[in-house]
Amino acid sequence: MNQKKRKVLGIIFLAAAFAVTTGFAIQGHVRAARYRHLLDNGYQHAFAELATAAGELDVSLQKVTYATSPTLFSVLCAQTYAKAMAAQAALGELPYGNIELEQTASFLAKTGDYVLALASGVEGGQVCSQEHRETLQALSQSASQLVQLLRGLQSDLEGGTLEPEELAQVQARLAAAGQEGEQVEAGSAFQDMEADFPEVPSLIYDGPFSEHLSNRTPRMLEGLPQVDEATAKEAAASFLGLRSDIFTLTSTGEGALPAYGFTALVDGGELYIEVTKQGGQVLQLLSSRRVGEPSLTRKEGYEAAAEFLASRGFQDMDPSYAIDQGGLLTIHFAARQDGVYCYPDLVKVQVALDTGDVVGFEAHGYLMNHGSRELAAPAVSAQESAGQVPGSLTILSSQLALIPTGGEYEVLCHEFKCQNESGGHVLVYVNAQTGQQQKILLLLEDESGTLVI
């Protein structure tokens, strides 16, 4: 082949390669454009769903404020709760909605829980108090303002004046905003909306979002003095049987249980322990050390956890349910008073089954709730209460148990552990004063342990 033919063939090959490369580039560009189009459509659809659900929530809230019939009130509360859940689901479809629309997410969660609590409290022909009705009206007004803000953004999205950001863009912007010395950039229309978010009324009810719970005093810490950093460090060292000089202060958390946070390097892992500023009580413990192959049985793990609690002043603690994950046995203990199992006084202990060491501990429930109680005698016997257990369940055992409500209250119940027709286990709680069912829980059991839901 002469030189001229080689040159012609070379040009042909280069042209073909260029054409193929260009084709791939065009194809990739088309795919990217199509993906972007689908992303934008999905984004706009999710946002439209959010705006619609928020509007339906507003309508439901308006209806429930006018209800005087207990039955209708309960039905409307249930519908309102469903609308709040639908709005939360739509918010979750946005790639970063729960991050940038934090106040919106909080409002939806609080509103849903509030109306659900009102629905469950309808007894004896009473609907709700005037105070609760005024709160519902205020929530409706907040929902109406939220709907206006959402529809304004929706209009901008559909009109093209507002371009949806891709998830990577948002993550990069939020990461930059969170860096030390950086100011949060109002680069998102969502952030602008959050700045204009309507005022939400204070919720006072028996539920987790009630305003009064934020000011609640932990029962175990009442009357105890404030401790300084050095005293808290000594308490941490004593709790773990270690020298205090190995601990370093890493945090000074506030909130319902303000605490000092310390870290220490022990046995190839890092320990993190929190000690309350009031009273110097250990709040929680975490260990990062790797866990080897188990050499202890679960029964031995239970015994190690019980011994650990007893040696640190936790008396009359009985284990409840546990789960074993990767050689880490997590056990729930609660206090027992006068034969009554007190679920609010919960302590979680995590034992490493390779050595039996306690590598996790959490006592928030115990510190908040534990104390001597005046427990009223049951007005309804266990035998009478058993009549509230459906015939499809077989009662295996029963005991008296104090269970928490959604807020700060406690209810004395007969706890019936039952077995269903398929062999699964169910806990049925019957109010020991009214004789009515109070709560039902399912036990999910497998080779790793038991999960209560």
Side-chain angles (χ1 to χ4, degrees):
M1 185 181 294
N2 58 34
Q3 188 68 24
K4 185 175 181 181
K5 286 184 178 179
R6 288 196 186 97
K7 186 177 292 186
V8 170
L9 286 174
I11 292 172
I12 292 173
F13 286 142
L14 284 174
F18 179 76
V20 170
T21 303
T22 303
F24 278 128
I26 293 173
Q27 187 178 33
H29 179 74
V30 169
R31 285 178 178 173
R34 185 180 303 160
Y35 170 76
R36 176 68 190 190
H37 179 68
L38 291 173
L39 178 67
D40 289 355
N41 285 346
Y43 182 103
Q44 292 185 21
H45 175 74
F47 198 86
E49 289 289 320
L50 174 59
T52 300
E56 293 175 346
L57 173 62
D58 177 26
V59 171
S60 290
L61 282 168
Q62 291 182 49
K63 288 181 180 180
V64 78
T65 59
Y66 302 129
T68 57
S69 162
T71 301
L72 180 59
F73 181 81
S74 293
V75 169
L76 291 175
C77 280
Q79 290 177 356
T80 305
Y81 173 77
K83 299 302 181 186
M85 294 302 98
Q88 282 187 287
L91 182 63
E93 290 298 316
L94 294 171
Y96 51 94
N98 287 306
I99 300 173
E100 298 235 282
L101 287 174
E102 183 178 357
Q103 292 187 77
T104 303
S106 175
F107 171 74
L108 296 174
K110 290 179 178 180
T111 301
D113 189 80
Y114 183 70
V115 295
L116 190 63
L118 293 185
S120 63
V122 176
E123 293 178 359
Q126 298 296 319
V127 176
C128 68
S129 67
Q130 181 60 30
E131 183 180 0
H132 286 153
R133 199 175 294 279
E134 291 172 356
T135 300
L136 286 168
Q137 292 172 344
L139 286 172
S140 175
Q141 293 172 2
S142 297
S144 296
Q145 295 176 51
L146 172 62
V147 170
Q148 292 178 10
L149 291 171
L150 289 172
R151 286 176 177 167
L153 284 180
Q154 183 183 4
S155 177
D156 291 341
L157 281 169
E158 293 174 349
T161 58
L162 176 63
E163 288 291 332
E165 291 180 280
E166 292 184 9
L167 179 58
Q169 292 175 309
V170 177
Q171 290 175 332
R173 176 165 54 77
L174 292 177
Q179 292 176 0
E180 187 175 353
E182 294 280 352
Q183 296 295 319
V184 176
E185 179 184 351
S188 166
F190 282 174
Q191 292 178 354
D192 295 336
M193 192 189 86
E194 286 280 283
D196 296 330
F197 197 88
E199 183 178 354
V200 179
S202 297
L203 304 181
I204 306 296
Y205 71 113
D206 186 27
F209 299 112
S210 182
E211 191 74 17
H212 74 284
L213 292 180
S214 61
N215 300 319
R216 187 179 169 209
T217 302
R219 292 187 67 186
M220 277 293 292
L221 305 183
E222 287 180 358
L224 297 181
Q226 297 289 321
V227 301
D228 58 18
E229 177 188 336
T231 304
K233 185 182 292 187
E234 288 291 341
S238 176
F239 189 79
L240 295 170
L242 299 171
R243 303 191 325 271
S244 61
D245 60 358
I246 69 172
F247 290 92
T248 301
L249 180 70
T250 55
S251 67
T252 55
E254 298 301 326
L257 282 171
Y260 298 101
F262 301 97
T263 56
L265 294 176
V266 180
D267 296 332
E270 185 178 61
L271 288 175
Y272 175 75
I273 186 169
E274 287 188 351
V275 178
T276 60
K277 293 182 178 180
Q278 182 181 9
Q281 303 296 306
V282 175
L283 177 59
Q284 70 169 332
L285 164 70
L286 299 169
S287 173
S288 67
R289 84 164 177 84
R290 296 187 62 181
V291 179
E293 287 295 319
S295 62
L296 279 71
T297 65
R298 290 183 186 173
K299 181 181 178 182
E300 290 171 325
Y302 269 93
E303 292 171 350
E307 182 180 345
F308 177 87
L309 288 178
S311 66
R312 285 153 180 80
F314 292 86
Q315 303 299 322
D316 299 319
M317 304 294 292
D318 285 351
S320 177
Y321 301 101
I323 189 165
D324 179 0
Q325 294 177 308
L328 288 173
L329 181 66
T330 303
I331 311 163
H332 291 193
F333 288 83
R336 190 179 291 275
Q337 178 184 325
D338 301 329
V340 178
Y341 195 82
C342 302
Y343 280 104
D345 303 0
L346 197 66
V347 176
K348 299 176 187 177
V349 182
Q350 191 173 66
V351 177
L353 293 180
D354 57 350
T355 62
D357 292 337
V358 170
V359 294
F361 173 85
E362 195 267 308
H364 183 275
Y366 188 87
L367 295 180
M368 290 297 296
N369 301 298
H370 185 64
S372 180
R373 299 173 171 90
E374 293 185 8
L375 298 174
V380 183
S381 69
Q383 185 177 2
E384 292 172 308
S385 298
Q388 292 294 315
V389 177
S392 60
L393 297 176
T394 302
I395 297 176
L396 302 178
S397 63
S398 68
Q399 68 172 348
L400 277 174
L402 198 67
I403 67 172
T405 63
E408 66 171 332
Y409 302 110
E410 302 169 341
V411 181
L412 181 64
C413 293
H414 294 284
E415 177 191 78
F416 295 97
K417 183 176 182 180
C418 308
Q419 183 171 300
N420 60 26
E421 296 171 341
S422 62
H425 292 132
V426 181
L427 296 178
V428 178
Y429 294 89
V430 178
N431 191 306
Q433 304 305 325
T434 67
Q436 300 297 310
Q437 283 191 354
Q438 184 75 29
K439 195 171 191 176
I440 296 174
L441 296 174
L442 304 181
L443 301 183
L444 301 183
E445 299 162 302
D446 59 21
E447 64 279 358
S448 65
T450 303
L451 184 65
V452 184
I453 59 173

